[in-house]
Amino acid sequence: MKKKPFVTLEQVKEMVKKYPTPFHIYDEKGIRENARRLKEAFSWNPGFHEYFAVKATPNPYLMKILKEEGIGADCSSYTELLLAEKVGLHGQNIMFSSNVTPAKDFELAAKLDAIINFDDITHIDFYEKIAPFKEVMCCRFNPGGKFQIHNTIMDSPQDAKYGMTRPQLTQAFLKLKEKGVKQIGIHSFLASNTVTNEYYPTLARLLFQVAAELQKETGVKIPFINLSGGVGVAYRPEQEPNDIFAIGEGVKKAYQEVLVPAGMGDVAIFTELGRFMLAPYGHLIAQAIHEKHTYKEYIGLDACAANLMRPAMYGAYHEITVLGKEEELCSQVYDITGGLCENNDKFAVDRKLPKIEIGDYICIHDTGAHGFSMGYNYNGKLRSAELLLCEDGSVKQIRRAETAEDYFATLDFDALEEK
Ligand SMILES: *Cc1c(COP(=O)(O)O)cnc(C)c1O
């Protein structure tokens, strides 16, 4: 099935009068509806809480929309914590799931009273020198081995730098208990961008079993289980998207089969979704500025990998729509490129598309998460603006485009002139 952009050519033509391409635009209505579906799918669990993974799209306007939907923030760095603070989040509405954590990050997380998720057992001693332990803390688990669903290997936790081993988890619980921590949650992230309704249920069952063991072994109360991120989106039009209601039901089944019989029917389910919350509700809008006919057919855009790194970095697929030509036959085969001096700066390779004219507006789909946020300044390219298509149809700029002055802001040219 073809993907339909949430903006039309007419709308984009209006936008570019004020905000030149390229820009990322987000769909407020889609974001809110999806957030409500997630909450409904887990409404069987009274303590359910989603912490939006800020790294996916660190824009305070979007975080505020999510906050209005009852969603908190999952932060992993100092500046992400500052962002959460700026949108008015604090305490139990912030999860701090970091790794290789600098002291000042722990210090700020403690000051904001965030739930601190220890990535490693050695972080407990490290943290103790910085801030007092809280009543409620969290530990990140890495089960090692390969993570399989049925017979398909989803990922290889044994090669991942995150989390503690199973024996370390018990030690960490006992150690934190000794330091006065009353309740400890557990967290794990085993596979990224999963497009199967069984990822969360499989992970949940594993964590529920571990939680039941840990509570027995250590006597520590486990208030929540954090399933983290990893629920993916269908980037390819032929993929079957995840059904969040089936996912919620699958987790519920594991909960009733494992936690309830263990006398742990009061445990809250937490999630830290990034991609699932926002990816489909963002587009990168760019303009075709060059065409080139050599050994292949190229269309060059005014956007490049600095605006969306996923294709260059992972060979990721992003659907492309030529705005205004939605119904036209895909009669051409193009490489759609940016202008970086890197040959992997291609949004698409050998993509079948309608005939593109210079000046056409191009919509790159599913850029709402891990899109703008992975941007960079290579080749002196500047970060784009971010716009919001509000529920009432109006368009608001929620981050201006960078200028050359921003790019040079960390340099002192006056000192260069002195000798
Ligand atoms: C990246 C990340 C997430 C979000 O992952 P998505 O795949 O975007 O859902 C959640 N938690 C942690 C700790 C992460 O590093």
Side-chain angles (χ1 to χ4, degrees):
M1 220 181 59
K2 261 192 193 168
K3 284 189 183 236
K4 194 175 175 303
F6 57 77
V7 289
T8 61
L9 177 61
E10 287 62 42
Q11 283 173 303
V12 166
K13 280 183 170 165
E14 275 308 304
M15 291 171 204
V16 297
K17 288 180 187 162
K18 239 172 133 181
Y19 311 113
T21 53
F23 53 76
H24 284 268
I25 183 160
Y26 306 96
D27 173 22
E28 178 179 9
K29 185 160 177 283
I31 293 170
R32 287 190 189 274
E33 286 172 358
N34 183 61
R36 287 171 198 169
R37 279 194 296 272
L38 171 74
K39 292 188 72 179
E40 201 191 324
F42 284 90
S43 58
W44 56 267
N45 183 258
F48 175 76
H49 202 55
E50 151 71 2
Y51 295 86
F52 172 65
V54 174
K55 74 163 189 265
T57 327
N59 186 297
Y61 290 82
L62 301 175
M63 289 167 69
K64 190 161 157 265
I65 290 172
L66 293 171
K67 181 178 172 226
E68 286 165 11
E69 298 298 335
I71 289 170
D74 162 38
C75 304
S76 57
S77 68
Y78 187 83
T79 46
E80 288 180 2
L81 284 166
L82 286 180
L83 261 180
E85 184 184 24
K86 284 194 188 293
V87 297
L89 293 166
H90 50 79
Q92 308 281 299
N93 278 312
I94 304 177
M95 182 68 60
F96 186 56
S97 290
S98 60
N99 68 95
V100 195
T101 313
K104 75 176 196 325
D105 296 29
F106 270 139
E107 195 180 339
L108 180 56
K111 194 188 118 207
L112 295 176
D113 221 9
I115 302 177
I116 293 172
N117 181 11
F118 289 114
D119 179 69
D120 190 52
I121 188 159
T122 61
H123 286 188
I124 298 173
D125 289 334
F126 184 88
Y127 175 86
E128 191 170 27
K129 301 195 186 87
I130 298 160
F133 290 98
K134 309 275 173 180
E135 289 254 310
V136 180
M137 306 206 77
C138 185
C139 289
R140 184 166 184 166
F141 175 44
N142 181 335
K146 307 266 187 216
F147 178 64
Q148 298 193 353
I149 297 181
H150 303 309
N151 286 319
T152 310
I153 294 177
M154 305 293 292
D155 216 324
S156 200
Q158 67 192 10
D159 298 323
K161 65 173 175 169
Y162 311 107
M164 308 181 200
T165 67
R166 181 63 189 80
Q168 287 174 337
L169 204 53
T170 302
Q171 285 170 32
F173 264 56
L174 292 172
K175 190 160 186 160
L176 288 169
K177 183 183 178 181
E178 202 185 282
K179 310 275 183 199
V181 177
K182 296 277 179 292
Q183 305 190 9
I184 308 171
I186 55 176
H187 167 283
S188 196
F189 189 163
L190 300 185
S192 202
N193 191 29
T194 60
V195 190
T196 156
N197 294 331
E198 297 193 51
Y199 170 63
Y200 257 9
T202 308
L203 169 67
R205 191 171 291 269
L206 185 134
L207 290 182
F208 295 164
Q209 279 155 355
V210 170
E213 288 167 20
L214 276 170
Q215 190 152 303
K216 229 191 238 146
E217 279 171 24
T218 65
V220 174
K221 166 129 185 89
I222 296 178
F224 63 83
I225 286 170
N226 185 342
L227 302 178
S228 189
V231 175
V233 300
Y235 286 102
R236 289 174 182 271
E238 70 275 13
Q239 275 178 309
E240 182 70 33
N242 284 320
D243 174 352
I244 197 63
F245 292 99
I247 292 172
E249 277 306 302
V251 174
K252 180 182 178 184
K253 186 160 179 281
Y255 191 100
Q256 286 172 339
E257 289 173 8
V258 183
L259 280 185
V260 173
M264 298 170 72
D266 59 347
V267 171
I269 301 296
F270 289 176
T271 56
E272 292 174 344
L273 296 169
R275 193 185 314 271
F276 182 81
M277 301 312 291
L278 282 192
Y281 313 107
H283 293 327
L284 173 58
I285 305 291
Q287 191 171 34
I289 58 169
H290 285 285
E291 57 183 289
K292 177 164 179 168
H293 317 279
T294 53
Y295 306 102
K296 297 187 89 171
E297 292 296 302
Y298 294 101
I299 295 293
L301 304 185
D302 55 4
C304 66
N307 305 111
L308 176 69
M309 196 200 232
R310 298 187 71 259
M313 188 162 174
Y314 315 112
Y317 183 96
H318 280 265
E319 182 72 341
I320 289 176
T321 301
V322 184
L323 291 171
K325 299 185 175 175
E326 288 83 350
E327 302 308 322
E328 284 187 21
L329 218 66
C330 293
S331 57
Q332 311 293 311
V333 176
Y334 292 120
D335 281 13
I336 306 291
T337 82
L340 291 185
C341 303
E342 280 287 339
N343 196 41
N344 65 357
D345 183 16
K346 295 181 177 181
F347 293 110
V349 175
D350 296 332
R351 186 73 58 90
K352 281 189 180 153
L353 288 166
K355 177 137 185 55
I356 296 174
E357 258 38 81
I358 303 295
D360 278 352
Y361 290 105
I362 307 292
C363 168
I364 303 175
H365 291 251
D366 302 312
T367 65
H370 310 295
F372 179 92
S373 64
M374 288 173 81
Y376 53 108
N377 284 124
Y378 190 54
N379 261 179
K381 297 286 184 181
L382 303 175
R383 287 183 181 78
S384 79
E386 292 182 289
L387 308 182
L388 179 68
L389 178 63
C390 302
E391 272 192 304
D392 64 6
S394 63
V395 173
K396 183 156 85 183
Q397 179 170 262
I398 57 175
R399 187 194 302 266
R400 69 163 171 81
E402 272 179 356
T403 63
E405 289 71 49
D406 295 321
Y407 182 73
F408 294 130
T410 49
L411 298 172
D412 186 347
F413 286 104
D414 294 336
L416 182 70
E417 297 305 318
E418 294 160 13
K419 47 168 188 321

